[in-house]
Amino acid sequence: MKSAVIYARYSSERQSEQSIEGQLRVCNDFAARNGLRIVGTYIDRAMTGTNDHRAEFQRMLSDSDTPQEWEIVLVYALDRFGRNSIEIAINKQRLQKNGKILISATQRTSQNIDGSQNLDGIILENVMIGIAEYYSAELSQKIRRGQNESREKGNFVGGGIAYGYKVVNKKVVVNDDEAEAVRTIFHQYASGRVAREIIETLHEQGLSHRGKQFLPNAIYQILRNTRYIGFYTHNGKKYTNTFPSIIATELFNTVQAMLAKNKLGSHSRDTQFLLKGKLYCGICGKKMNGESGTSFTGKANYYYKCATKKKKSSACPKETVRKEEIEKLVVQTTIDTLRSPETAEKIADAVVSIHQRRWQDKSILHLLKEDRDKKQKALKNLLSAVEEGLLTPTTKNRMTELEEEIDILNGKILAEESKEANLITKEQVIAFLTDLPEREPQIIIDTLIRKVVLFDDRIEIHYNFIEKPEPDEPDGTSPEDRRVIPFSFQSSLQSRVPPP
Ligand SMILES: [Zn+2]
């Protein structure tokens, strides 16, 4: 017989709150029906006007850190475990880490009494597809490896070129007009001007930010960009042979010291928002974007904020959510879902078969080759135009573009071809599930999660779907090409709550 403790909480501020006695009765009934032995209770009674310290709740959590005769915490409803879904999930995770199980007497929970996972088949299916997708992502890693070789050679590997530079035949050279603006920005800032004043000066001098007026953010980004003293870092590696210097190192260092003192400029540069582009407001449907702010103590705070609310605070009631909390929650939930041995087995089998099916399908390779051949032909035509002396700046740009595009296509073709030699094994998938998520949470989010919708009372994590990709904005979709997989601690559970 398994042993359990009951945690009950009563808050007089809530209407239609179940009394402590009522909660205990329901929990005891549940225990009797399910063969649980109740070995203790923790009870918090919060009265109106007092702080809700939940002392007993805290005691229960810290008890769970040490060996106990019980392994189950039984509650009337999951909301006893926190004031919002994030808090609930974090507290639940702490229990799980301690080998304890949270069970609600009135709702379905993600773990069963015997500790096994409670997974809907559809979720599982989608996770499988998501992992298969991961291995496609691995192909693009191979392409990145190719890019690293280009980096070593000091070539520009694509993407947006930093302000102050331009690309000529894959090499980065100084863009004179822009470089002048960069120098102005550094000198002015070093002499004590603030971003707004610098922007005015640039405007007077007729210097623009690629056709647009400078914004303060752009100024700060420029002030911090090490390319202006001749290097950049990628994946922890420093590349010094790509960008020519525009600013003297001494001036750059002076500016960095000043920036460190300047609150406005001192945060958010290297912060990676894991859920970037994937987090949506459940109330108005718009994206929630990463933001940072500085507290009175000078410490940086990171959070996600609804885009509607950002424009106009009263336009959406969605509260901002702390970056760390939501990211940890999303990643941990996904990891927990993936990790039970039987789940991992099932996923591995499915992934291997999906992978084999895709491997047999050569259509992608054909398409890539076709595309490359077309571009090579176009490039050849331009080359003969050049030989005939018909060179204009436009042809030149187009040629550079084509060369870069062909490079990228060659990488993809290589990756696609090497797929044959790299059929994945079941063991690899299992290793992926056990090993990678904590080290590389971004990979988990990129490959498995299509979007996360944050409601006030629940979070929905939508897993990736290969067959029917969805447009970016949730508004633009018709219901039939959406298969929503609610995977929230509460949403999948709440609907099953019997009326009180
Ligand atoms: Zn909103």
Side-chain angles (χ1 to χ4, degrees):
M1 191 182 247
K2 297 231 175 201
S3 297
V5 288
I6 298 174
Y7 172 69
R9 177 163 62 88
Y10 179 77
S11 165
S12 58
E13 275 163 347
R14 285 176 180 239
Q15 304 206 328
S16 74
E17 172 73 311
Q18 176 72 264
S19 69
I20 294 283
E21 289 64 34
Q23 293 178 38
L24 290 177
R25 184 170 37 77
V26 172
C27 287
N28 278 316
D29 285 353
F30 179 90
R33 276 201 315 277
N34 290 278
L36 290 177
R37 192 163 59 98
I38 302 297
V39 295
T41 53
Y42 297 84
I43 296 170
D44 281 318
R45 287 175 204 267
M47 293 303 152
T48 313
T50 63
N51 273 333
D52 185 8
H53 288 311
R54 296 182 293 157
E56 283 286 283
F57 183 69
Q58 295 308 328
R59 192 166 71 85
M60 181 271 293
L61 280 184
S62 58
D63 282 354
S64 83
D65 290 338
T66 59
Q68 297 291 335
E69 62 172 320
W70 51 270
E71 54 193 305
I72 290 171
V73 177
L74 186 57
V75 290
Y76 169 73
L78 289 172
D79 63 6
R80 307 296 105 155
F81 245 58
R83 281 163 296 200
N84 53 52
S85 53
I86 294 179
E87 227 178 79
I88 292 168
I90 288 169
N91 290 327
K92 193 177 115 191
Q93 269 165 27
R94 178 154 164 205
L95 279 192
Q96 274 176 355
K97 210 174 269 162
N98 294 329
K100 308 282 193 281
I101 300 161
L102 172 65
I103 298 287
S104 159
T106 59
Q107 295 158 303
R108 240 182 80 181
T109 39
S110 62
Q111 272 183 303
N112 299 314
I113 289 174
D114 63 4
S116 62
Q117 298 271 0
N118 210 342
L119 281 169
D120 289 338
I122 190 155
I123 295 173
L124 203 56
E125 186 192 318
N126 283 285
V127 170
M128 291 166 190
I129 293 173
I131 291 178
E133 189 72 326
Y134 162 76
Y135 286 97
S136 313
E138 206 187 32
L139 301 175
S140 62
Q141 243 174 27
K142 292 205 174 89
I143 296 162
R144 260 177 265 142
R145 244 169 264 154
Q147 286 186 337
N148 282 344
E149 279 167 34
S150 300
R151 283 178 205 281
E152 298 286 352
K153 288 186 212 148
N155 289 342
F156 184 64
V157 294
I161 180 81
Y163 187 80
Y165 299 101
K166 58 187 175 183
V167 182
V168 177
N169 293 329
K170 288 189 205 170
K171 295 289 179 194
V172 177
V173 297
V174 173
N175 176 328
D176 290 330
D177 290 345
E178 292 185 0
E180 197 192 324
V182 171
R183 286 187 204 102
T184 306
I185 291 168
F186 272 87
H187 284 293
Q188 296 246 322
Y189 190 82
S191 69
R193 301 283 183 89
V194 298
R196 188 177 38 80
E197 294 167 328
I198 298 173
I199 291 169
E200 272 170 30
T201 312
L202 292 166
H203 191 64
E204 280 162 20
Q205 295 179 358
L207 294 167
S208 75
H209 193 222
R210 306 223 159 119
K212 289 183 194 149
Q213 204 186 332
F214 277 95
L215 294 172
N217 255 350
I219 301 286
Y220 285 115
Q221 261 173 27
I222 286 172
L223 287 169
R224 290 209 177 78
N225 197 335
T226 61
R227 286 169 178 79
Y228 302 127
I229 52 170
F231 75 90
Y232 72 101
T233 45
H234 181 80
N235 284 340
K237 203 169 178 303
K238 192 168 165 180
Y239 296 91
T240 55
N241 59 348
T242 310
F243 287 86
S245 294
I246 291 178
I247 298 295
T249 307
E250 205 173 79
L251 173 61
F252 187 85
N253 291 340
T254 308
V255 165
Q256 300 318 301
M258 291 173 74
L259 280 170
K261 281 190 203 153
N262 177 348
K263 268 195 202 172
L264 264 179
S266 64
H267 49 70
S268 92
R269 175 173 50 132
D270 292 323
T271 308
Q272 203 186 1
F273 285 90
L274 296 181
L275 294 172
K276 191 176 169 202
K278 301 214 170 182
L279 188 64
Y280 290 89
C281 168
I283 296 175
C284 70
K286 287 287 175 224
K287 280 197 175 135
M288 294 185 75
N289 297 316
E291 297 256 335
S292 62
T294 312
S295 73
F296 290 113
T297 58
K299 197 176 164 280
N301 292 319
Y302 303 104
Y303 48 90
Y304 289 92
K305 188 175 199 169
C306 163
T308 307
K309 192 183 180 69
K310 184 173 167 70
K311 263 192 209 149
K312 191 170 174 236
S313 186
S314 61
C316 179
K318 188 92 208 82
E319 298 288 332
T320 58
V321 55
R322 279 168 46 93
K323 170 184 184 294
E324 219 173 283
E325 279 179 19
I326 179 99
E327 288 178 354
K328 203 172 150 195
L329 181 62
V330 168
V331 172
Q332 195 58 47
T333 304
T334 307
I335 292 173
D336 290 347
T337 311
L338 300 178
R339 237 176 226 177
S340 81
E342 68 270 35
T343 309
E345 283 274 307
K346 267 192 219 164
I347 292 174
D349 284 336
V351 169
V352 169
S353 81
I354 290 169
H355 193 72
Q356 275 167 345
R357 227 175 32 232
R358 293 191 137 204
W359 165 63
Q360 284 155 359
D361 174 13
K362 291 262 168 53
S363 53
I364 298 172
L365 186 60
H366 290 314
L367 282 173
L368 288 170
K369 282 184 171 166
E370 236 177 71
D371 201 12
R372 178 190 60 186
D373 293 346
K374 247 187 243 162
K375 290 200 161 116
Q376 271 172 343
K377 209 172 156 194
L379 184 63
K380 222 175 125 194
N381 289 341
L382 284 176
L383 261 173
S384 29
V386 170
E387 277 158 11
E388 284 164 33
L390 300 169
L391 181 69
T392 68
T394 331
T395 24
K396 218 172 126 193
N397 285 345
R398 183 65 197 131
M399 280 173 69
T400 317
E401 260 173 43
L402 278 170
E403 276 171 0
E404 278 164 16
E405 286 165 12
I406 290 168
D407 253 16
I408 291 169
L409 281 170
N410 276 333
K412 285 188 183 166
I413 289 166
L414 245 172
E416 199 64 26
E417 281 171 345
S418 67
K419 227 157 64 166
E420 301 184 15
N422 288 299
L423 267 182
I424 52 165
T425 65
K426 197 171 162 180
E427 287 69 33
Q428 284 173 317
V429 181
I430 291 174
F432 165 87
L433 293 173
T434 25
D435 211 35
L436 201 69
E438 268 142 10
R439 269 192 297 125
E440 302 274 4
Q442 186 77 66
I443 290 180
I444 283 293
I445 289 173
D446 285 350
T447 60
L448 297 186
I449 293 170
R450 191 181 65 227
K451 76 178 183 191
V452 177
V453 189
L454 191 61
F455 295 87
D456 274 345
D457 60 345
R458 66 190 193 275
I459 296 169
E460 290 180 0
I461 303 176
H462 299 220
Y463 288 105
N464 262 326
F465 223 59
I466 293 174
E467 278 74 12
K468 283 188 174 168
E470 201 184 29
D472 256 8
E473 293 292 327
D475 322 322
T477 52
S478 59
E480 56 270 21
D481 55 27
R482 277 178 88 176
R483 281 171 70 185
V484 175
I485 305 103
F487 182 77
S488 64
F489 326 90
Q490 291 193 308
S491 82
S492 58
L493 319 167
Q494 260 174 357
S495 53
R496 298 179 182 91
V497 186

